[in-house]
Amino acid sequence: MKLKGRNKVSPDFSMSSMTDIVFLLLIFFMLTANSPNALDLLLPKAKGKSTNTQNVSVSIDKNLQYFVNNEKINGDYIEVELKKALEGQDKPTIILRAEESVAIKEAVRVMDIANRNSYKVILAVRPN
């Protein structure tokens, strides 16, 4: 009576299935991790809908540094930079990203420039 089987179990480990799992996880995290802006700003919280239409982004950080489309500019020349960036647009729109600790007068300054030049302003907030 022969009790021993003919098939032998191989103790070798195959890395191909592990590589496939890591690759799929990498793709998943790359698709789910979106970074709308490269600046690390802590935006105020609010309820509302978000929009994906963006012509020009104006960011103000806690050190009162101004950025137009992630390029640092002098605060005195913000109107000139905005006119340059928005010329020729049908519906010129500014996305205003002011950090939570920034005084409201700095945000109003950008809104005043937009009002004088008939630009639409959208205040960016983080979801509540």
Side-chain angles (χ1 to χ4, degrees):
M1 184 177 204
K2 190 175 183 182
L3 295 175
K4 200 172 190 181
R6 286 188 281 157
N7 296 334
K8 294 197 175 199
V9 177
S10 174
D12 296 337
F13 179 73
S14 176
M15 287 292 289
S16 63
S17 61
M18 184 67 73
T19 305
D20 292 344
I21 291 171
V22 170
F23 181 68
L24 289 173
L25 284 173
L26 175 69
I27 291 173
F28 173 75
F29 287 122
M30 285 177 61
L31 291 175
T32 58
N34 57 355
S35 179
N37 56 344
L39 300 175
D40 187 26
L41 297 177
L42 183 62
L43 298 175
K45 290 183 182 179
K47 291 182 183 175
K49 64 178 184 175
S50 61
T51 179
N52 287 334
T53 60
Q54 176 178 344
N55 288 339
V56 172
S57 170
V58 175
S59 303
I60 308 169
D61 69 1
K62 62 185 171 189
N63 300 324
L64 299 181
Q65 295 175 334
Y66 288 84
F67 298 87
V68 174
N69 290 336
N70 296 331
E71 292 181 26
K72 186 178 176 182
I73 63 162
N74 188 341
D76 298 332
Y77 301 111
I78 190 161
E79 187 168 5
V80 175
E81 291 293 326
L82 286 174
K83 284 182 179 180
K84 213 184 324 181
L86 290 170
E87 71 180 347
Q89 298 287 337
D90 290 343
K91 298 177 184 176
T93 305
I94 298 171
I95 305 288
L96 179 57
R97 292 185 169 95
E99 197 162 350
E100 195 172 35
S101 61
V102 172
I104 193 70
K105 70 177 185 176
E106 300 300 326
V108 170
R109 178 178 174 195
V110 176
M111 290 181 203
D112 184 44
I113 292 170
N115 187 33
R116 283 193 307 244
N117 294 293
S118 300
Y119 300 150
K120 182 178 176 185
V121 178
I122 299 173
L123 180 63
V125 294
R126 59 188 161 129
N128 195 1

